[in-house]
Structure formats: structure tokens, C-alpha cells
Amino acid sequence: MNTPTAKPWIEAISAYTPGKAKSDDGRVLIKLSANENPLGCSPHAAAALVDKGASLARYPDPASTALREALGAAYEVDSDLIVCGTGSDELLNLIAMGYAGAGDDIIYVRYGFSVYDIAARKTAANVIVAPDKDYGTDVDALLALVTDKTRVVFVANPNNPTGTYCSDAEIARLHAGLPGNCVLVLDQAYGEYLEDDGPAALELARQHDNVLITRTFSKIYGLAAERIGWCYGQAGLIATLNRVRAPFNVTAAGQAAAIAALGDTEFVVRSRQHNAEWRDWMAAECAALSNHGVKVIPSRANFLMILFEGNCSAEAVYNGLMDQGYIVRWLPGQGLGSGLRITIGTEDENRGVMAALRKILEANA
């Protein structure tokens, strides 16, 4: 009997796997697997969500006008050159849809964000994976793969899941080497964790008509549940995304919460400082375990990628941490079977997971 059959390029997609919150036997664990803000969100953003409860019967502003204006003021860019989306994930998919199709190439860096592969395959484009350099972006390797079929290049900076960072000069060199009809997408989901907030990327997009910057409210702003992202680029690029995005794609409550979050700069600064302090502390704790084969990839994000090259495998540590009440991210499907990505949590969570890690390693020495 005949049954519906998906297109072969859709069948080739490996569905996105979110970070777990429970163990395999159903226990609720301390969640350090999804890079969420351990401080929660701004109280002003939480209050804005409640206030919007009275208008649930009304559609939200389809253009997210007030939010775009607030973003423009906060990041010193033209609000007319911003489009908002259901998290930056939606925008990444829209970019691929808008600029690539069958026969075109989309390039991303090995160990890059897994959504790039999904977005590329949805369009039936050829997926081209560039070799990494020390788990990060290798500009020369990327440029070596560019052809007249290349339409989109995705670069996460800082990179997820490895935390690596590609310098402004290297990103500028990458852009200079791309043809004008190729869109360079700089995914800055973790941009607010940079000491200078990553303005060079926005400046690159301000100066050129083939650069798009994507950002999210899911990380430092602590609004992951509301799924709010935004994208900045020149008018032609933004017009394309507005043609293909879903109408009313950002909820009214989400828009209000995001505006309130942007206004609470003290919360953002406190979140950045907490992250930097505890990221450095956890990295130092891992360095002290180097005799157990532990290696940390230097991170500029709100997590650490920890490699296990000794007697105890990443899988064993992953399961051991679950036994002790912690869930982290093991990514063998992305070629990172020897590593675990651990989100920077609260002070108690950070101290607890590091103590658990040391216990596991010493027991398996």
C-alpha cells in the first residue's frame, strides 16, 4: 500500500536533540545541559509577562515594532533593519530558505551549532562542513571550500558547543574572501557574554549588504521559554526574511518581556560577571584534574566543553554525573563523543558538579 514519503533531503535530517532535564529513569536532575541563565531573568521581564495576560485574545504586533525600536536603541542600529523571530533558530532556518536551494552550497564549521545542518538540509542545498582549528573556526579552511555555488556561510561566534571565539580580524578576513552573492551569517547567541558585547560583528553588517547577525533572548536575558530572537542586516536581506517568516511569530507577552529585559542593564551586567567568575573557577578546577586526562577548551560563552582523554571516558562521566544528580550535554552525534558541555550554573551547582566530577575521576583512576 502506498504511503506518503518525505523528500530525500528531509529524510536525511537528524532531528534536533535538546538538552535533557531528567535521567533515563525519570529522575529530575540539576540541569546544566542547555546553557540557560542560572540567575533566571530580569524581574522586570517576569512582571511584563504577567501584565500581558489581559490581552491574550488579541494577536501580537506582527512586526514587533516596539521591540525592534528597543533593540535599535540598545544596540545602536537602525530598527528598520531588524527582524524578530521565534528564537534565533527560526531566523537561521529562514536565512537558509531565503538564499539557498537545490544545487547551492551552505557551509558551516565542524562542531558548529547543529541547527545549521538542519536548516541547510531543509532547502535541499549541499551541506559542506569545513574542518575546524582547535575546535573552532578556521577561516582558511572555510575559504578553501567556497565556490560559485556557495550561498550561505554560518559561523557561531562564540561557538556552540565548543565555546571558541574567532577574532574580529579573522571574521573580517573571512568576509573579504566571500563573493558578494554569499550571505555570511554571524550567529551571536552568546554575544552578550563577551566583555565588549561583540560590536564589531554589528559594524560589519552595517557596512556590507551580505552580512546578517543573529542574536537571542534565550541566553543572558534568561527568556528561553518565550523563544525570542532577532536578526540585523541591510534592507534587502531583512526584506527577504520578512517575506518568508511566519506572521505573528513573536508573542505579545514575549515582546513585552524582551523590551523589559533590554531595559534592565544591571541584570545583564550581573549575569555576565557571574558567568565570567564561575567559568574561570570551573576551568581552573578542571585544570587541576589534568592528571586524569581532563582538558578544557577555552570558552567565551556560558559553558565549558571538557574533553576526557584519560582512563575515564566522557560517556562514563556523563552517566556518573547523572547518578549524582547532574545532567550535562554529551554530543557524540556531533563528533564530540570524548567531551561534555557543562553550563555555568549557580555557585552551588558549579561547586557540586565539580565535586561530583572529581569523585568520579578519582574512583576510576
Side-chain angles (χ1 to χ4, degrees), residues 97-120:
M97 181 192 305
Y99 289 97
D104 296 326
D105 290 353
I106 293 181
I107 305 176
Y108 67 90
V109 182
R110 181 166 56 189
Y111 310 129
F113 186 32
S114 59
V115 166
Y116 306 152
D117 190 83
I118 295 171

Side-chain angles (χ1 to χ4, degrees), residues 5 25 38 55 84 102 114-115 128 137 141 147 166 174 182 235 244 255 268 273 277 291 300 309 320-322 325 330:
T5 302
D25 58 8
S55 57
C84 296
S114 59
V115 166
I128 311 296
T137 300
T147 71
C166 188
L174 170 61
C182 174
V244 295
Q255 292 179 39
V268 172
Q273 290 173 341
E277 176 185 351
N291 59 320
R300 300 286 293 276
E309 301 172 344
L321 289 175
M322 274 200 288
W330 181 43

Side-chain angles (χ1 to χ4, degrees), residues 243-268:
R243 288 189 186 98
V244 295
R245 70 175 174 84
F248 312 111
N249 58 339
V250 182
T251 67
Q255 292 179 39
I259 292 168
L262 283 169
D264 192 348
T265 54
E266 186 277 333
F267 176 82
V268 172

Side-chain angles (χ1 to χ4, degrees), residues 78-96:
D78 184 346
S79 63
D80 289 336
L81 301 179
I82 293 173
V83 59
C84 296
T86 309
S88 54
D89 288 4
E90 180 195 15
L91 298 164
L92 296 170
N93 279 278
L94 295 180
I95 294 165

Side-chain angles (χ1 to χ4, degrees), residues 104-288:
D104 296 326
D105 290 353
I106 293 181
I107 305 176
Y108 67 90
V109 182
R110 181 166 56 189
Y111 310 129
F113 186 32
S114 59
V115 166
Y116 306 152
D117 190 83
I118 295 171
R121 293 184 190 280
K122 280 183 181 180
T123 72
N126 303 313
V127 178
I128 311 296
V129 182
D132 67 293
K133 182 178 182 179
D134 296 328
Y135 296 93
T137 300
D138 185 334
V139 168
D140 290 320
L142 275 169
L143 291 176
L145 294 172
V146 173
T147 71
D148 58 4
K149 296 193 298 181
T150 306
R151 293 294 175 267
V152 179
V153 174
F154 285 115
V155 176
N157 205 34
N159 185 55
N160 174 32
T162 62
T164 55
Y165 185 71
C166 188
S167 72
D168 296 340
E170 283 292 276
I171 292 296
R173 188 166 71 85
L174 170 61
H175 175 262
L178 297 175
N181 65 346
C182 174
V183 181
L184 174 60
V185 183
L186 298 176
D187 175 0
Q188 288 197 308
Y190 301 90
E192 287 84 6
Y193 285 105
L194 298 171
E195 292 79 2
D196 64 355
D197 203 14
L202 292 168
E203 185 60 31
L204 197 67
R206 183 183 285 111
Q207 294 177 1
H208 301 281
D209 58 8
N210 66 335
V211 179
L212 284 169
I213 309 301
T214 60
R215 290 212 175 196
T216 184
F217 282 86
S218 296
K219 303 306 175 187
I220 207 166
Y221 291 109
L223 295 175
E226 290 304 301
R227 311 304 302 122
I228 312 156
W230 60 283
C231 181
Y232 170 73
Q234 292 307 304
L237 298 169
I238 297 303
T240 296
L241 301 187
N242 276 318
R243 288 189 186 98
V244 295
R245 70 175 174 84
F248 312 111
N249 58 339
V250 182
T251 67
Q255 292 179 39
I259 292 168
L262 283 169
D264 192 348
T265 54
E266 186 277 333
F267 176 82
V268 172
V269 170
R270 182 158 54 91
S271 295
R272 185 184 297 121
Q273 290 173 341
H274 172 92
N275 184 73
E277 176 185 351
W278 288 101
R279 183 182 61 201
D280 289 349
W281 180 85
M282 290 174 70
E285 289 290 298
C286 289

Side-chain angles (χ1 to χ4, degrees), residues 17-24 27 29 32-33 308 312-332 337 339-342 357 360:
T17 303
K20 292 181 178 180
K22 296 181 179 180
S23 66
D24 293 338
R27 289 177 296 122
L29 304 174
L32 299 174
S33 61
F308 296 87
C312 201
S313 70
E315 182 178 12
V317 175
Y318 173 73
N319 289 320
L321 289 175
M322 274 200 288
D323 290 341
Q324 296 195 48
Y326 296 89
I327 185 73
V328 298
R329 196 73 184 269
W330 181 43
L331 295 164
L340 297 177
R341 192 192 70 187
I342 303 181
L357 174 60
I360 293 166

